[in-house]
Amino acid sequence: MDLKSLWINIIEVLAKELPRPQILTWFNKTALLKNDNGTLEVGLPLPYFLNWHQTHLVKKILEAARQVDTSINKINYQVDVSLNEDHSAAIDVSKHFPSGKSRKLPKQNLTRSKEGVVSKILNPDYTLDNFITSPENRLAHAACQNVAMFPGQNYNPLFIYGGVGLGKTHLLQAAGNEAIKNNPDAFVVYTTTENFTNEVIQAMRSKNMEYIRKKYRRVDLLIIDDIQFIANKEKTEEEFFHTFNTLYEAGKQLIISSDRPPHELKLLSERLISRFESGMIIDVRMPDYETRLAILMEKCRKAQVFINQDVLEFMAFHVNHSIRALEGVLNRAIGDYHLTMTAPTVQSVAAMLRQTQKKEIKPLGIVDQAPQRKGSVSIDHLIDLVTDYFAIQRSDIVGSSRARESLIPRQMIMYLANTKLRMSLVKIGKHLGNRNHTTVMHSVSKIKEKLKTDRQLLRDLNAIQKEAGMH
Ligand code: ADP
Ligand code: MG
């Protein structure tokens, strides 16, 4: 078996155990570089993959590999940024492991018109597949899956409630998309309560309430988002009650979302509340830290941007009230990244959070200290920053390792020490494990040369300089 097929086989085994976003995030652009008597050398496209692989994946990969080939006994890693470019050995995960589920739905399916009924378009980007589950939302996710599979049978109505930005709309739309996929003839309507209210007002104006009744009569799955807005709208509530009953009695599925449980809704009709309570009521809460981090990583992967793990961890840690807010912070960071060619840092994100959330953002580790003045940055401080940034050890830098994951960071330190700190080649060599000054000179010119074409290197260097207050 050639190396690439072997690697694909191993990832296939892993894919049975690991959630798909993990496979997408941590195996894209990876490669099997060598199989040396059972020692596999796995190529990683970016330095920050290394830390995650070593702490979370290496054991699992070894187990999976041994299922494919029992002679495999060890996994080594090699960071090779050239895997990012069209490298023939690198795996394109979404191509090799296409997901039946995340395939985009043709729009015609979503806005079919039966007897003049037009549903609000479901957003095909919201799928059950790309919703990341955690104990706080797993039940809601599973119920949506069930309802999409067996509409009108098990959980009817399905009532999902929780605070803003926690994924209710995502789940509701995903259930609609999934239902259409399971049964392309199903007539699915997603509407917001606001939209429904407007329709009622329109119908009242034109004195044609029959219109609404006709309109919704043929629906197989009615999804209505943010039902709390129906409060104090007497006529809308009445109309909704009517629609609800018609569909419910015909065995059609209803999915409803709200920011609070049914009994806290300020409805006029107790009957509607008890209708809601007769089905399945599930709350969604804010996912835990690990899930928030997984969500961020998945979004980065999708946007094809690479943000340092430290920075994502910092965001996931501090933005703990809403996924929408978390996405907002990430999007701002991505915006900055494209605009300034500078990778976001813990420091820049902390500043951003201080602006948007009035709360105190506690510094985490050295990277959030006040920027040092140019003169005060020492090479030791530089080594700390760079090893932190690439999640490697100081011994990798000052030691004799020639592994790529320490080679480039070491060269970057030499370059910065020489061009920014104005240190002599001899002195730099002394600090970095007594290296010869010609080695240092060679490294500095290597980085200079690379900077002309390697945009990732430029971003990394910019980020480190920013962190060190060297700008
Ligand atoms: P709500 O309707 O509860 O206010 P949304 O469904 O609009 O929240 O979610 C806000 C954003 O967060 C959306 O972009 C959604 O895709 C994303 N999101 C929320 N929860 C998750 C999750 N568990 N996995 C992936 N994305 C999520
Ligand atoms: Mg919503």
Side-chain angles (χ1 to χ4, degrees), residues 126 131-132 137 165-170 299 323-324 327:
Y126 290 137
F131 186 85
I132 296 174
N137 60 31
L166 297 185
K168 300 185 298 296
T169 297
H170 185 136
K299 307 264 173 203
I323 301 295
R324 185 175 300 135
E327 271 185 5

Side-chain angles (χ1 to χ4, degrees), residues 92-198:
D92 182 344
V93 176
S94 51
K95 201 175 95 208
H96 288 291
F97 302 91
S99 152
K101 287 184 192 162
S102 65
R103 167 176 61 89
K104 289 231 161 156
L105 294 159
K107 285 237 160 96
Q108 306 87 287
N109 266 356
L110 306 173
T111 47
R112 283 183 320 130
S113 156
K114 265 189 195 168
E115 296 182 357
V117 185
V118 179
S119 96
K120 198 174 164 191
I121 298 171
L122 287 167
N123 181 347
D125 290 339
Y126 290 137
T127 64
L128 288 176
D129 212 32
N130 67 17
F131 186 85
I132 296 174
T133 55
S134 70
E136 293 81 5
N137 60 31
R138 187 163 289 131
L139 202 56
H141 180 263
C144 285
Q145 207 143 31
N146 188 292
V147 158
M149 194 77 95
F150 311 106
Q153 290 183 35
N154 300 327
Y155 306 127
N156 205 15
L158 173 59
F159 190 101
I160 294 177
Y161 74 91
V164 286
L166 297 185
K168 300 185 298 296
T169 297
H170 185 136
L171 279 173
L172 261 56
Q173 294 241 357
N177 282 326
E178 186 83 5
I180 292 170
K181 216 177 69 205
N182 291 336
N183 175 11
D185 285 331
F187 185 38
V188 175
V189 170
Y190 165 91
T191 187
T192 58
T193 301
E194 195 190 357
N195 211 41
F196 188 81
T197 306
N198 287 338

